[in-house]
Amino acid sequence: MTLYSDFARRRTLQVLADCAAVLGIVGSVVLGVTLHGAILALQEVGTRLADAGSSFESTMSEISERLGQVPLIGTGIRAPFDEASGAGGTLQEVGRAQQEATQQLAVGVGLAVSVIPILAILLLWLVPRIRFARRARWALAASSTPAGIDLLASRALSTRRLPDILKAHPDAAGGWRRHDPDAVRALASLELRACGLRPERAAVLRGQGTALA
């Protein structure tokens, strides 16, 4: 499989794009993990609230129980402390809810910051790289036979820019219809170069057209 172009300029751009993509993916993962940890640190607030609520609830319950043992007035005097104990329980629940919300936020932000950029990188980088490798493999396989060379020439006529076609051969279309070896070879070479391959890699083209005649 051909992963990189035979031509130095295009190959350099591909290598740079690969390096940038890898760095982008690694950077996205690191940023996601960092933000996840930073947001998760906010759970400490919820932990303290929950601990404070639990401690307050326990203290008020203990005072209420002791006052409840006082003869005659115990039942009435413990009521405010029972209410305070309930407030402590509410504070404890708020702390726990804050911890859960922080956990969910940390996971959501961490995934969003890492996954979305990675998907974008894969879409903009990996898909074109796979397409290039497939085109290069197909073109290299086609260039091994005269029929494949003719197919490459036909593809060049239908997909390449007109200035490039005229530069490759002044009568490219007519020459291809007449099976002119020079025109077919020029068009096939144009398509191979567009696929990132040097025409010299095609054994049929190295035959200087005798195999195409």
Side-chain angles (χ1 to χ4, degrees):
M1 179 179 291
T2 302
L3 296 179
Y4 295 98
S5 172
D6 290 341
F7 302 100
R9 182 176 179 276
R10 188 173 183 182
R11 182 171 60 248
T12 300
L13 293 176
Q14 289 175 330
V15 172
L16 291 176
D18 290 352
C19 293
V22 172
L23 289 176
I25 291 174
V26 173
S28 297
V29 172
V30 171
L31 181 59
V33 172
T34 301
L35 287 177
H36 176 271
I39 296 174
L40 205 59
L42 298 177
Q43 277 190 322
E44 181 64 21
V45 177
T47 301
R48 291 179 180 180
L49 283 175
D51 291 344
S54 176
S55 177
F56 187 76
E57 180 184 20
S58 177
T59 300
M60 292 299 102
S61 296
E62 183 179 352
I63 293 175
S64 176
E65 289 179 4
R66 290 182 179 180
L67 291 176
Q69 297 174 1
V70 176
L72 301 178
I73 63 171
T75 304
I77 201 173
R78 67 177 295 175
F81 295 95
D82 288 338
E83 294 179 1
S85 175
T90 301
L91 184 63
Q92 185 178 5
E93 292 177 1
V94 170
R96 290 174 178 172
Q98 193 273 345
Q99 293 179 63
E100 294 178 1
T102 302
Q103 173 71 28
Q104 294 175 359
L105 180 63
V107 173
V109 171
L111 288 177
V113 169
S114 58
V115 172
I116 293 178
I118 289 175
L119 290 177
I121 290 172
L122 293 178
L123 182 63
L124 298 175
W125 162 73
L126 185 59
V127 172
R129 294 292 287 119
I130 293 176
R131 186 182 297 120
F132 168 83
R134 293 179 62 182
R135 283 181 57 198
R137 183 180 62 180
W138 171 83
L140 192 60
S143 67
S144 62
T145 64
I149 292 295
D150 189 68
L151 182 60
L152 288 170
S154 174
R155 182 176 175 81
L157 278 175
S158 61
T159 60
R160 299 301 121 210
R161 296 188 311 141
L162 182 58
D164 294 334
I165 293 175
L166 294 176
K167 184 178 179 181
H169 195 278
D171 186 25
W176 177 73
R177 284 194 297 267
R178 295 191 303 270
H179 299 287
D180 178 11
D182 291 335
V184 173
R185 183 169 60 251
L187 289 170
S189 298
L190 176 63
E191 183 63 22
L192 285 171
R193 283 192 292 270
C195 293
L197 302 172
R198 293 187 180 278
E200 294 80 6
R201 293 182 65 175
V204 176
L205 294 180
R206 289 200 301 268
Q208 296 300 318
T210 56
L212 301 175

